[in-house]
Amino acid sequence: MEEETEVTEPEIVAPTPDEVAIGLWETGVRFVEGLIRPWNAYQVLIALAIFVVAHIAARVLAPKWEAWLRTREGWPTWRMRFGVLVHRRMSLIVFVAIIWPVIWGMREFTWPSRSYLLAVIGQIAFAWLVIALATRFIGNATLRSLVRTGGWAWVTVSILGLTDDVVALMDGIALSLGETRLSLWMVVQAVVIIGALIVAARFLAANSARRIRKKTDISPSIQVLTIKVLQVVLYSAAFFIGLKVVGVDLTGLAVLSGAIGVGLGFGLQKVVSNLVSGFILLLDKSIKPGDVISLGETFGWIEQMGARYVSVVTRDGREYLIPNEDLITGQVVNWSHTNAFVRLDIVFGTAYHNDPHQVRKVAIEAAKSVDRVLSFRPPVCHITGFGDSSVDYLLRFWIEDPTGGLTNIRGNVYLALWDAFRENGIDIPFPQREVRLLGDGKAEC
C-alpha cells in the first residue's frame, strides 16, 4: 500500500518595506538614466518649453478672463465659482491644451516611442486638471484640499505604474496590536472610504432636512428631532460601514466603545446632560424654534435648537447660546407656548380733580389707537388705589407678536396716553417740594 504524500503549496512571502523602498529607488534611478537618451531628453525639453509658453500665455489671458468675469454679475453662484477656478488654473489649462496637439502631431510624423514620455506627462496634467475641476464642488475647503491632493498623488502613481509597489510599501509599514494588524495602507483606505461615505451621508442628510422643513404639517420641534436623529443614524452608519469594508473587527471596537462610554459618562457629565436634555426638549415640545422665551435677564426668540444648546436672539441683536440643561432645570417663561397672545400692564396716575370715569375711557381709547394692540381683545383700565398725590390706575392690553418687542409697545402706549391726556385736560401729578431759607439771626440775650 503506497503512502500518500501531502503536497504543500510554497509559502508566499510578502516583500518587506526595505525591499520595496530599494525597488522604488532602483526604478527611479533607471528612469533618470533613461532621460539621458536623446529622444527622452528631447521630450523633457519639449515639455519644459510648453510649460514656459503656457505660463506666459496664462499671464496674458488671466487678467482678460478676470475682467470678463466681472461683467457677468447675473451669473449663478456655481457658474461664477467655475469661472474663478478657470482663472486660478489657467496655466494648467493652457498646458493641457498645448501638449496634447503636440503629442498627436509627433505620433503622426515619428515613432510612438518618441512621444511616450510626453504622453505620460500629458495624462498626468489632464488628470490633475479633471481632479481640480471635480473637487471644486466640495464645499468644505479643508476636505477639498485633502481630496484634491490625495487624488493627484494617486493618479500620478497609477499613470507611472507604481501602484503595486506603493501599496506594498504602505502595507509593510504596520503596527501590531495583539491579533490586530494596523498598516498604513489600511489607514489610507479607511480615511478614503469613510470620507466618501461621510460626504454621501452629509448630502443625504442635507437633502432630507430640506424636505422635512417643507412639511408644514410637522411641528418645528418634531422637524428638528427628526433631522437630528437622521443625522446621527447616517453618520454612524457611514463610520461603521467604512470600518467594516476596510476589514476592522467591530467586536473589538464594541468593547472599546463601551469603555469609552463609561469614561465619557464620568468625565463629560455636563456634555451628556446637555445632549439628553436636548432630546427631551424636542420630545416634550415645551419650546420650539420661533417661540419667545425669557430666562432670567434674557428675553428673545429661539432661532435654532442644537444638540448641546439653544440659540436665543434678543431684540438688540445679541445671540445667547443657552445650554439645554438650563432650560430643563431652570424656570423658563414661554410667551408663545400655547398661543402667541401676550397681556401687558402699565401703571399711571392722574390728579384728584380729574374725573376717574373720563380717565378710564380716555386711557382705553388711547391704547386702542396703537397699531399692535389687539382690538378683539379690548384693553381695560382699573383704579388700583388712592395714592398720596394721585389716583392710581392699571391699564391692560393684549398683543400677538411678542417677537416685535415688549418695551417698544409699552412706550407707544405711554406716548398715546400722554397725547390723549393733554387733549382732554387730564393732569399727571408729580411730587412738589417747598424749600424755605431761614435767617441766621442771633438769639437775644
Side-chain angles (χ1 to χ4, degrees):
M1 188 175 185
E2 297 181 357
E3 296 182 357
E4 295 182 357
T5 58
E6 183 180 357
V7 179
T8 59
E9 297 181 358
E11 183 179 356
I12 300 176
V13 180
T16 63
D18 295 338
E19 295 174 350
V20 175
I22 293 174
L24 290 175
W25 173 261
E26 293 176 352
T27 302
V29 171
R30 288 195 300 268
F31 176 77
V32 174
E33 292 177 350
L35 295 179
I36 304 176
R37 299 175 183 176
W39 271 105
N40 289 342
Y42 294 156
Q43 293 179 67
V44 172
L45 293 177
I46 292 173
L48 291 176
I50 294 174
F51 176 79
V52 173
V53 172
H55 184 70
I56 296 174
R59 295 290 295 271
V60 176
L61 295 176
K64 297 181 179 180
W65 180 262
E66 182 180 2
W68 182 77
L69 281 179
R70 294 183 182 277
T71 62
R72 310 289 99 180
E73 297 181 356
W75 271 14
T77 304
W78 68 269
R79 188 179 297 179
M80 187 60 68
R81 289 179 177 176
F82 184 80
V84 173
L85 178 62
V86 172
H87 177 266
R88 293 179 178 177
R89 303 295 176 185
M90 186 66 71
S91 299
L92 184 57
I93 294 174
V94 176
F95 181 82
V96 173
I98 295 176
I99 193 171
W100 277 106
V102 172
I103 295 172
W104 296 329
M106 293 183 65
R107 287 178 178 177
E108 291 292 332
F109 297 104
T110 186
W111 299 104
S113 60
R114 295 182 176 180
S115 60
Y116 172 77
L117 190 58
L118 279 177
V120 172
I121 297 174
Q123 290 175 8
I124 294 175
F126 180 74
W128 282 30
L129 179 60
V130 171
I131 292 174
L133 296 177
T135 54
R136 190 62 186 86
F137 294 98
I138 300 176
N140 188 278
T142 304
L143 181 60
R144 181 171 60 249
S145 301
L146 182 63
V147 173
R148 184 173 59 242
T149 305
W152 285 348
W154 182 254
V155 299
T156 302
V157 170
S158 300
I159 293 173
L160 294 177
L162 302 176
T163 306
D164 296 336
D165 294 335
V166 173
V167 170
L169 178 62
M170 290 190 295
D171 189 63
I173 303 175
L175 178 65
S176 297
L177 300 174
E179 297 181 356
T180 303
R181 182 177 181 273
L182 185 63
S183 65
L184 180 60
W185 173 239
M186 183 179 294
V187 173
V188 172
Q189 283 182 306
V191 170
V192 173
I193 295 175
I194 294 176
L197 291 175
I198 288 179
V199 170
R202 183 178 180 182
F203 176 78
L204 293 175
N207 283 273
S208 301
R210 194 178 302 112
R211 293 185 178 182
I212 292 173
R213 292 190 181 98
K214 292 180 180 179
K215 301 292 183 180
T216 56
D217 55 336
I218 303 177
S219 63
S221 58
I222 297 299
Q223 289 181 0
V224 175
L225 177 61
T226 305
I227 291 172
K228 296 300 180 184
V229 172
L230 185 62
Q231 289 176 347
V232 171
V233 171
L234 288 176
Y235 286 124
S236 300
F239 180 73
F240 288 110
I241 291 175
L243 292 180
K244 187 66 176 179
V245 170
V246 173
V248 177
D249 188 7
L250 297 182
T251 57
L253 186 62
V255 177
L256 179 61
S257 61
I260 294 176
V262 174
L264 291 177
F266 287 102
L268 301 176
Q269 294 182 9
K270 286 292 183 181
V271 176
V272 176
S273 176
N274 286 322
L275 290 175
V276 175
S277 300
F279 279 99
I280 294 175
L281 292 174
L282 293 174
L283 288 173
D284 64 8
K285 304 179 184 179
S286 56
I287 61 173
K288 58 184 180 296
D291 283 354
V292 180
I293 67 170
S294 57
L295 178 65
E297 299 296 328
T298 304
F299 173 84
W301 61 90
I302 298 176
E303 182 70 18
Q304 63 178 354
M305 299 179 65
R308 189 182 60 84
Y309 61 84
V310 171
S311 172
V312 178
V313 180
T314 60
R315 290 285 299 170
D316 56 1
R318 297 181 181 179
E319 186 171 1
Y320 291 87
L321 305 180
I322 301 177
N324 293 327
E325 184 183 7
D326 294 347
L327 298 173
I328 292 291
T329 58
Q331 182 178 4
V332 181
V333 179
N334 191 340
W335 295 83
S336 53
H337 179 50
T338 56
N339 55 61
F341 299 122
V342 177
R343 191 189 71 181
L344 300 179
D345 300 340
I346 62 174
V347 179
F348 65 92
T350 62
Y352 273 95
H353 63 266
N354 297 125
D355 184 6
H357 300 283
Q358 182 188 12
V359 171
R360 293 178 59 194
K361 182 178 179 181
V362 170
I364 292 174
E365 294 299 326
K368 288 182 178 180
S369 65
V370 180
D371 293 335
R372 293 173 56 194
V373 176
L374 300 180
S375 59
F376 59 88
R377 291 193 174 188
V380 294
C381 185
H382 303 287
I383 295 178
T384 58
F386 300 103
D388 295 336
S389 58
S390 66
V391 180
D392 299 327
Y393 298 86
L394 175 67
L395 177 63
R396 288 176 170 172
F397 56 91
W398 290 83
I399 62 173
E400 62 177 350
D401 54 348
T403 56
L406 304 181
T407 303
N408 54 1
I409 186 63
R410 287 194 180 100
N412 292 337
V413 173
Y414 272 121
L415 187 60
L417 286 176
W418 177 271
D419 295 337
F421 287 169
R422 293 197 56 160
E423 291 178 0
N424 292 274
I426 299 175
D427 298 327
I428 300 176
F430 55 91
Q432 299 183 20
R433 299 290 183 267
E434 184 177 312
V435 180
R436 294 183 180 182
L437 298 177
L438 303 178
D440 56 350
K442 297 179 179 181
E444 296 181 359
C445 296

